[in-house]
């Protein structure tokens, strides 16, 4: 038996009554808390669930704690009833009764099981002797520990499975769209991703149901029981992965909608590239015939590989293989534009000598027109140099280097003829006479 001897001074009547009132209020609060814990949805779910992992171990310990709490509450009720019975003997208790009441209210006269008997505390002893205030503290601590487990499990069960179900519904919608455009596991990376996400959500929901505490981060410090936050890392990763797949499927759907227009544009671009190359080949023959001593680059043939891939794209569209058509069109569009630009560059490179000849002809005619305005076009030297340059530029094959030098000599002679005379006399047409 524990000692019920008074701990400290003997209480007077008012002190006894205040202690009884305080302990009675504690009794009501503890009883209400234990009943609420008994009816807690999380506790009922934990009792009926097939638990695994962390939750299984912690719930086993929590069940022992709850059982110990009810046993401790019974001892508390009995001790409080015994104290009340002594107090009710007389309206004005004597010194012996006050000493007895002090021992009941403050002494360690309540015997409870220690951890060696499943009580969860007591340093390994089979039984402990506590005062009523100490027993209240013991019950409050055990209750907080039990409520922490129950509330955390309930918080996870109330939130995570519902989120997973919503994401799984979205997964089903996206998977249906994926099948409609030929995105399937083993045939397209997005199909493999969908299979992985499906497996992950299935496993995640199963684990959230059987081991909810594995998805709970308890709050540190002196937080209230059940304080903490939901661990949604795996859920968030699955949601992000599904969003990436959804964007890819939307892109494939977009390909299906505008595939015909994109293929028509590709045909047009490749056709223009072929025509440009054909024009460059014709121009090259003309340059070789008309321009002498000029290095003319060779012209490549049509882009046969691109035409073959375009035919493959048409076949993908006909077979509704949109997931294969999408990357092929993206690649073809870029390469077709590059091919057209390359053809234009070859045409420019091939016709460059003709452009040089045209520039020289323009410079020669512009210089003669200027001389004609000043009445100097008939000057024998100028006329001779003009005829020499013109014969070179309008003959085939044309030697561009020699023709360029002849035009330069004509321009220099024209500049000298148009320059002011040393005696200050104006330039006139006297040399033509």
């Amino acid at each position: 038996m524990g000692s019920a001897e008074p701990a400290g001074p003997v209480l007077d009547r008012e002190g006894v009554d205040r202690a009884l009132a305080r302990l009675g209020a504690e009794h009501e609060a503890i009883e209400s808390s234990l009943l609420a814990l008994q009816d807690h949805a999380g506790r009922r779910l934990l009792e009926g669930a097939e638990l695994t992992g962390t939750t299984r171990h912690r719930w086993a310990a929590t069940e022992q704690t709850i059982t110990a709490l009810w046993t401790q509450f019974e001892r508390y009720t009995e001790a409080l009833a015994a104290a009340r019975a002594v107090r009710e003997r007389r309206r004005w208790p004597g010194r012996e009764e006050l000493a007895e009441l002090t021992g009941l209210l403050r002494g360690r006269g309540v015997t409870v099981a220690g951890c060696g008997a499943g009580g969860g505390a007591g340093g390994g002893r089979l039984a402990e002797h506590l005062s009523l205030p100490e027993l209240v503290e013991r019950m409050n601590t055990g209750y907080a520990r039990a409520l922490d487990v129950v509330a955390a499990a309930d918080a996870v069960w109330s939130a995570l499975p519902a989120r997973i179900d919503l994401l799984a519904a979205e997964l089903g919608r996206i998977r249906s769209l994926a099948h409609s455009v030929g995105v399937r596991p083993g045939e397209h990376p997005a199909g493999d991703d969908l299979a992985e996400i499906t497996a992950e959500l299935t496993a995640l929901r199963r684990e959230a149901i059987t081991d909810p505490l594995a998805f709970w981060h308890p709050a540190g410090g002196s937080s209230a029981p059940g304080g903490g936050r939901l661990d949604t890392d795996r859920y968030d990763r699955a949601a992000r992965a599904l969003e990436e797949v959804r964007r890819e499927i939307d892109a494939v759907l977009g390909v299906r909608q505008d595939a015909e227009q994109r293929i028509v544009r590709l045909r047009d671009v490749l056709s223009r590239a072929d025509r440009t190359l054909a024009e460059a080949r014709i121009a090259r023959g003309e340059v070789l015939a008309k321009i002498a001593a000029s290095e003319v680059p060779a012209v490549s043939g049509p882009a046969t590989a691109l035409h073959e891939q375009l035919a493959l794209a048409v076949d993908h569209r006909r077979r509704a293989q949109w997931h294969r058509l999408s990357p092929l069109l993206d690649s073809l569009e870029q390469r077709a534009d590059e091919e057209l630009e390359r053809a234009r560059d070859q045409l420019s490179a091939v016709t460059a000598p003709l452009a040089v000849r045209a520039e020289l002809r323009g410079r020669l005619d512009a210089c003669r027109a200027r001389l004609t305005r000043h009445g100097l076009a008939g000057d024998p030297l100028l006329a001779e140099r003009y005829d020499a340059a013109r014969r070179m530029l309008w003959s085939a094959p044309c030697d561009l280097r020699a023709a360029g030098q002849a035009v330069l000599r004509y321009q220099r002679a024209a500049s000298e003829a148009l320059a002011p005379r040393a005696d200050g006399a104006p330039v006139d047409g006297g040399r033509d006479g």
Side-chain angles (χ1 to χ4, degrees):
M1 292 291 293
S3 174
E5 294 297 324
V10 175
L11 296 171
D12 58 14
R13 184 176 63 86
E14 289 79 7
V16 167
D17 290 342
R18 285 195 299 270
L20 284 171
R22 183 176 64 255
L23 292 170
E26 292 279 8
H27 182 275
E28 292 180 4
I30 292 171
E31 184 178 32
S32 297
S33 297
L34 289 178
L35 290 174
L37 181 61
Q38 193 71 15
D39 292 335
H40 198 290
R43 188 199 63 80
R44 293 198 300 268
L45 289 172
L46 283 165
E47 281 188 341
E50 293 288 338
L51 302 176
T52 61
T54 301
T55 307
R56 179 178 179 179
H57 296 302
R58 292 189 63 185
W59 175 239
T62 300
E63 281 189 304
Q64 293 183 0
T65 299
I66 294 174
T67 300
L69 282 172
W70 281 108
T71 302
Q72 293 164 3
F73 181 70
E74 290 176 4
R75 301 289 84 77
Y76 182 86
T77 302
E78 294 169 357
L80 182 60
R84 284 172 173 171
V86 173
R87 177 63 185 88
E88 290 170 359
R89 291 176 191 169
R90 293 177 5 175
R91 182 177 181 184
W92 301 98
R95 181 168 180 78
E96 292 183 359
E97 291 167 327
L98 289 174
E100 183 181 0
L101 284 168
T102 300
L104 291 172
L105 296 175
R106 289 185 173 178
R108 293 187 169 183
V110 184
T111 303
V112 298
C115 70
R125 292 179 296 226
L126 295 178
E128 288 185 275
H129 305 293
L130 305 175
S131 66
L132 287 177
E134 289 173 340
L135 184 55
V136 168
E137 180 65 24
R138 175 70 58 82
M139 287 189 290
N140 285 338
T141 301
Y143 170 78
R145 190 165 58 248
L147 182 61
D148 194 59
V149 170
V150 170
D154 186 55
V156 174
W157 278 331
S158 298
L160 192 54
R163 294 188 189 181
I164 295 171
D165 290 342
L166 289 174
L167 191 61
E170 176 67 5
L171 171 63
R173 185 188 70 83
I174 293 175
R175 190 166 52 229
S176 177
L177 282 176
H179 279 279
S180 71
V181 294
V183 175
R184 297 180 177 85
E187 299 180 7
H188 191 279
D192 297 333
D193 292 341
L194 284 174
E196 292 178 2
I197 296 170
T198 301
E200 170 63 4
L201 287 183
T202 301
L204 184 60
R205 194 182 194 285
R206 181 177 62 252
E207 294 171 27
I209 294 297
T210 61
D211 190 11
L213 296 184
F215 298 89
W216 186 255
H217 288 305
S222 58
S223 60
R229 65 177 179 85
L230 190 65
D231 180 359
T232 61
D233 288 348
R234 287 176 60 185
Y235 169 86
D236 294 338
R237 285 196 297 271
R240 288 193 296 268
L242 184 60
E243 176 61 20
E244 291 177 2
V245 173
R246 185 196 63 77
R247 287 197 294 265
E248 187 164 352
I249 298 302
D250 286 345
V252 174
L253 287 171
V255 170
R256 182 173 68 175
Q257 293 171 357
D258 62 3
E260 182 61 31
Q261 181 180 355
R262 294 175 71 182
I263 289 175
V264 169
R265 178 187 175 276
L266 277 169
R267 284 198 182 104
D268 178 64
V269 171
L270 290 178
S271 177
R272 281 187 287 159
D274 290 345
R275 290 197 301 271
T276 302
L277 289 174
E279 183 180 350
R281 285 190 289 273
I282 294 173
R284 185 173 188 272
E286 180 182 353
V287 170
L288 291 174
K290 295 182 178 181
I291 307 298
S294 179
E295 296 182 359
V296 184
V299 179
S300 63
T304 305
L306 292 182
H307 285 282
E308 292 175 351
Q309 290 189 339
L310 178 59
L312 181 61
V314 172
D315 184 66
H316 286 338
R317 181 180 62 81
R318 181 176 59 83
R319 297 174 180 271
Q321 294 177 330
W322 311 110
H323 63 291
R324 295 178 178 172
L325 180 60
S326 176
L328 180 58
L329 286 180
D330 291 340
S331 173
L332 268 176
E333 285 173 337
Q334 178 180 354
R335 294 173 62 191
D337 290 338
E338 292 173 352
E339 177 66 16
L340 178 58
E341 186 64 26
R342 185 177 65 86
R344 288 169 174 169
D345 290 343
Q346 291 193 53
L347 178 60
S348 298
V350 165
T351 57
L354 295 178
V356 171
R357 188 185 66 173
E359 179 191 0
L360 291 173
R361 287 177 173 180
R363 286 164 56 188
L364 181 67
D365 290 342
C367 187
R368 179 175 174 79
R370 185 183 179 195
L371 290 171
T372 300
R373 287 195 304 272
H374 289 85
L376 300 175
D379 181 269
L381 176 63
L382 293 174
E384 178 186 354
R385 292 189 176 181
Y386 172 77
D387 291 338
R390 192 176 191 284
R391 281 194 304 272
M392 292 182 184
L393 287 173
W394 268 266
S395 63
C398 171
D399 187 337
L400 289 179
R401 292 186 181 88
Q405 292 173 358
V407 171
L408 184 59
R409 285 194 297 271
Y410 180 63
Q411 289 178 314
R412 287 173 179 171
S415 297
E416 293 174 0
L418 292 171
R421 298 171 67 176
D423 57 5
V427 175
D428 56 25
R431 294 179 64 184
D432 290 334

